[in-house]
Amino acid sequence: MLNKEFLIDYRIYYEDTDAGGVVYYANYLKFFERARTEFLRSLNIFQSTLIKELNLIFVVKKCEIEYKNPTKLDNLVNIKTIISEIGAASIKMHQEMFCEEKLLNVLDVEIVCVDRISMKPKRIPSEILEKIK
Amino acid sequence: MLNKEFLIDYRIYYEDTDAGGVVYYANYLKFFERARTEFLRSLNIFQSTLIKELNLIFVVKKCEIEYKNPTKLDNLVNIKTIISEIGAASIKMHQEMFCEEKLLNVLDVEIVCVDRISMKPKRIPSEILEKIK
Amino acid sequence: MLNKEFLIDYRIYYEDTDAGGVVYYANYLKFFERARTEFLRSLNIFQSTLIKELNLIFVVKKCEIEYKNPTKLDNLVNIKTIISEIGAASIKMHQEMFCEEKLLNVLDVEIVCVDRISMKPKRIPSEILEKIK
Amino acid sequence: MLNKEFLIDYRIYYEDTDAGGVVYYANYLKFFERARTEFLRSLNIFQSTLIKELNLIFVVKKCEIEYKNPTKLDNLVNIKTIISEIGAASIKMHQEMFCEEKLLNVLDVEIVCVDRISMKPKRIPSEILEKIK
């Protein structure tokens, strides 16, 4: 059963927008990362603990993002995150952002578990895998 | 009665930190601005409406920030915002950020109401003033 | 002849890094955008003029980014940008970031020319096309 | 002789602006920090070396910034940095940002040399002091 789903809302502030009047394209990735982090937190996986205790970090390996509709200051956006694939050292997630039912953008992201110092891929610890699956 | 107070919490994400391992010094100002925006929202003042209907923006005129303690990834910070002075075209606020009761930093900020095009100071509309006071 | 190429260097500052000790994944997109903007500027295309005179903005429609190697504080990165395809209202670019000859990441990006207000796609003005081709 | 002065230019990109059409207030602090870093680099002081070899970081203790004029996309800003005071563990700098001779904002900043782990103040190493003075 890989289709765990997680929902979260964020407000758009001035810091997120640019002179085009809408959210700056790179800043959407910040919201998506907050959503992934809260997803993991909801499963009792804490990234700061992973670093401290196991010297492991999840890093982003690949992103494919399609921008369908822009969004503006003061809007409330809703992010849906689904785990789409779990490998030995990597996780793929599919994420969608909405504003009042309108699809804003879609992200497919692959994150890899790496050693903090060497930055080499490491097997995801089994206790983490159990929480995710 | 100028001591309206507003409290809000934010989580520290990777985007907020830097290679020093703590929150990047400029990013604290983003949290403080979110808190001011939510303070205004709690008083039914919406900045996007101000722009659209009255062509007015609040811009920051002056900041004095003292960094007392750093904070890290995954921490939850609490921001307290107090309106300390209200002028014809400007508002002064005092803001404090805490993490588990420890004071992280203190900001004194002056914001000015300006015309969006000319960027010249404008009187704060009386319906806004009433909500703030 | 679509293979115009543009090269530019950027320094990594604290603001670009995160608590993992390397550049934050969304921040690479900022460097890539600066490079595209300087590429256009080198062809005498100024985005602020496009907005003011023609009410046109280039917005990002799609990004595919692969992170191959991380990079750190104080490093100097080199970005290579190539225009890979030109359509009536859109441009595709291929961008690569290096640090001392090592490939850090690769971006394929599609940008679309839109009307600033309606956000609807618009034909790229012919004087812009001539400069790009 | 404490009045060493350093000048540097930066371009304003979309990432720096917000929906108000001008540079976002916290982002000015990023430019000022880049300028301080380049100032130190011009004196052969490298922050990444300081961390690696001596476990020391310079952190910001206090900022006082006054925003006098906004600036826009595509503008070129000039930053002037002066060391105004040197203490045993801290340095005060005065920084001014201009755009075509117009003063945009003024920052007085105090940075402190701290141990990377304990975050406690440490004497600035004498070889650093000699380069600064």
Side-chain angles (χ1 to χ4, degrees):
Chain A
M1 236 275 304
L2 284 182
N3 40 9
K4 278 221 169 82
E5 184 180 307
F6 180 78
L7 299 171
I8 196 164
D9 294 343
Y10 288 105
R11 178 73 62 182
I12 306 299
Y13 295 111
Y14 266 116
E15 65 183 273
D16 307 310
T17 60
D18 70 22
V22 294
V23 171
Y24 179 66
Y25 91 122
N27 290 343
Y28 289 108
L29 292 183
K30 297 184 177 180
F31 289 108
F32 281 123
E33 208 233 324
R34 294 183 202 172
R36 295 194 300 271
T37 297
E38 292 304 332
F39 190 177
L40 294 179
R41 191 189 315 281
S42 76
L43 302 169
N44 284 312
I45 302 168
F46 306 100
Q47 296 190 68
S48 52
T49 312
L50 271 178
I51 300 182
K52 252 178 289 173
E53 296 183 359
L54 301 169
N55 229 17
L56 295 176
I57 314 188
F58 281 111
V59 297
V60 175
K61 179 71 190 149
K62 214 173 171 173
C63 278
E64 216 178 309
I65 180 164
E66 206 179 328
Y67 300 88
K68 293 175 176 295
N69 285 292
T71 195
K72 294 195 167 179
L73 188 68
D74 273 355
N75 283 350
L76 194 72
V77 298
N78 329 105
I79 299 179
K80 190 170 82 179
T81 303
I82 293 169
I83 297 183
S84 48
E85 208 180 308
I86 301 179
S90 69
I91 300 170
K92 289 186 186 169
M93 295 191 191
H94 177 82
Q95 299 187 282
E96 298 178 350
M97 192 186 291
F98 296 86
C99 182
E100 291 174 4
E101 315 280 294
K102 193 199 266 182
L103 182 60
L104 303 181
N105 39 60
V106 180
L107 174 69
D108 282 289
V109 58
E110 182 181 348
I111 58 176
V112 180
C113 180
V114 301
D115 178 271
R116 199 224 147 113
I117 306 301
S118 71
M119 295 303 271
K120 294 258 157 70
K122 291 278 162 192
R123 284 189 160 275
I124 301 171
S126 58
E127 63 270 29
I128 302 285
L129 280 180
E130 273 157 38
K131 288 174 181 169
I132 291 174
K133 274 179 180 163
Chain B
M1 238 270 309
L2 283 182
N3 41 10
K4 277 222 169 81
E5 184 180 308
F6 180 78
L7 299 171
I8 196 163
D9 294 344
Y10 288 105
R11 178 73 62 183
I12 305 299
Y13 295 110
Y14 266 116
E15 66 184 272
D16 307 310
T17 60
D18 70 22
V22 294
V23 172
Y24 179 66
Y25 90 122
N27 290 344
Y28 289 107
L29 292 183
K30 297 184 176 181
F31 289 108
F32 281 123
E33 207 233 324
R34 295 181 201 173
R36 295 194 300 271
T37 296
E38 293 304 334
F39 189 178
L40 294 179
R41 191 189 316 283
S42 75
L43 302 170
N44 285 312
I45 301 169
F46 307 101
Q47 296 188 68
S48 51
T49 312
L50 270 178
I51 299 182
K52 251 178 290 174
E53 295 183 359
L54 299 171
N55 229 17
L56 295 177
I57 315 188
F58 281 110
V59 297
V60 175
K61 178 72 191 150
K62 213 171 171 176
C63 278
E64 215 178 310
I65 179 164
E66 206 177 331
Y67 300 88
K68 292 176 177 292
N69 285 291
T71 195
K72 294 196 167 178
L73 188 68
D74 273 355
N75 283 350
L76 194 72
V77 298
N78 329 105
I79 300 178
K80 190 172 80 178
T81 303
I82 292 169
I83 297 182
S84 48
E85 205 181 310
I86 301 178
S90 70
I91 301 170
K92 289 185 186 169
M93 296 191 192
H94 177 81
Q95 299 187 284
E96 298 178 350
M97 192 185 292
F98 296 86
C99 181
E100 292 173 3
E101 315 281 295
K102 193 199 267 182
L103 182 61
L104 302 181
N105 40 59
V106 180
L107 174 68
D108 282 288
V109 58
E110 181 181 348
I111 58 177
V112 180
C113 180
V114 302
D115 178 90
R116 197 225 148 113
I117 306 301
S118 70
M119 296 302 272
K120 293 259 157 70
K122 291 278 162 192
R123 283 189 161 274
I124 301 170
S126 58
E127 63 270 31
I128 302 286
L129 280 180
E130 274 157 37
K131 288 173 181 171
I132 290 173
K133 273 176 183 167
Chain C
M1 237 273 306
L2 285 181
N3 40 10
K4 278 221 169 84
E5 184 179 306
F6 180 78
L7 298 172
I8 196 164
D9 294 343
Y10 289 105
R11 178 72 63 183
I12 306 299
Y13 295 110
Y14 266 116
E15 65 184 273
D16 307 310
T17 59
D18 69 22
V22 295
V23 171
Y24 179 66
Y25 90 122
N27 290 344
Y28 289 108
L29 293 183
K30 297 184 176 180
F31 289 108
F32 280 123
E33 207 233 324
R34 294 183 201 172
R36 295 195 300 272
T37 296
E38 292 304 333
F39 190 177
L40 295 179
R41 191 189 316 282
S42 75
L43 302 169
N44 284 312
I45 301 168
F46 306 101
Q47 296 188 68
S48 51
T49 312
L50 271 178
I51 299 182
K52 251 179 290 176
E53 295 183 0
L54 300 169
N55 228 17
L56 294 176
I57 315 188
F58 281 111
V59 297
V60 175
K61 179 71 190 149
K62 214 171 169 173
C63 277
E64 213 177 312
I65 180 164
E66 205 177 330
Y67 300 89
K68 292 176 177 295
N69 285 292
T71 196
K72 294 194 168 180
L73 189 67
D74 272 356
N75 283 350
L76 194 72
V77 298
N78 328 106
I79 299 178
K80 190 171 81 178
T81 303
I82 293 169
I83 296 182
S84 48
E85 208 181 307
I86 301 179
S90 69
I91 300 170
K92 289 184 186 170
M93 295 191 192
H94 177 81
Q95 299 187 282
E96 297 178 350
M97 193 185 291
F98 297 86
C99 181
E100 291 174 4
E101 314 280 295
K102 192 198 268 183
L103 182 60
L104 302 182
N105 40 60
V106 180
L107 174 68
D108 282 288
V109 59
E110 182 182 347
I111 58 176
V112 180
C113 180
V114 301
D115 178 90
R116 199 224 148 115
I117 307 302
S118 71
M119 297 302 272
K120 293 259 156 69
K122 290 279 162 191
R123 283 189 160 276
I124 301 170
S126 58
E127 63 271 29
I128 302 286
L129 280 180
E130 273 157 37
K131 288 173 181 171
I132 291 174
K133 274 178 182 164
Chain D
M1 235 273 308
L2 284 183
N3 40 10
K4 276 221 168 84
E5 182 180 308
F6 180 78
L7 298 171
I8 196 163
D9 293 344
Y10 289 104
R11 178 73 62 183
I12 305 299
Y13 295 110
Y14 266 116
E15 65 184 273
D16 307 310
T17 59
D18 70 22
V22 295
V23 172
Y24 179 66
Y25 91 121
N27 291 344
Y28 288 107
L29 292 183
K30 297 184 176 181
F31 290 107
F32 280 122
E33 206 233 325
R34 295 182 201 173
R36 294 194 301 271
T37 296
E38 293 304 333
F39 190 178
L40 295 179
R41 191 188 315 284
S42 75
L43 301 169
N44 284 313
I45 302 168
F46 306 101
Q47 297 188 68
S48 51
T49 312
L50 271 179
I51 299 182
K52 251 178 291 175
E53 296 183 358
L54 300 170
N55 229 17
L56 294 177
I57 316 187
F58 282 111
V59 297
V60 176
K61 178 72 190 148
K62 213 172 170 173
C63 278
E64 213 178 310
I65 180 163
E66 205 178 329
Y67 300 89
K68 293 178 176 293
N69 285 291
T71 194
K72 294 195 168 180
L73 189 67
D74 273 355
N75 283 350
L76 194 72
V77 298
N78 330 105
I79 299 179
K80 192 171 80 178
T81 303
I82 293 169
I83 297 182
S84 48
E85 206 180 309
I86 301 179
S90 69
I91 301 170
K92 289 185 186 170
M93 296 191 191
H94 177 80
Q95 300 187 282
E96 297 178 350
M97 192 186 291
F98 296 86
C99 182
E100 292 173 2
E101 315 281 295
K102 193 199 267 182
L103 182 60
L104 303 182
N105 40 59
V106 180
L107 174 69
D108 283 288
V109 58
E110 181 180 349
I111 57 177
V112 180
C113 180
V114 301
D115 177 90
R116 198 223 148 114
I117 307 300
S118 71
M119 297 302 272
K120 293 258 157 71
K122 291 277 162 192
R123 282 190 161 274
I124 301 171
S126 58
E127 63 270 30
I128 302 285
L129 279 181
E130 273 157 38
K131 289 173 181 171
I132 291 172
K133 273 177 182 165

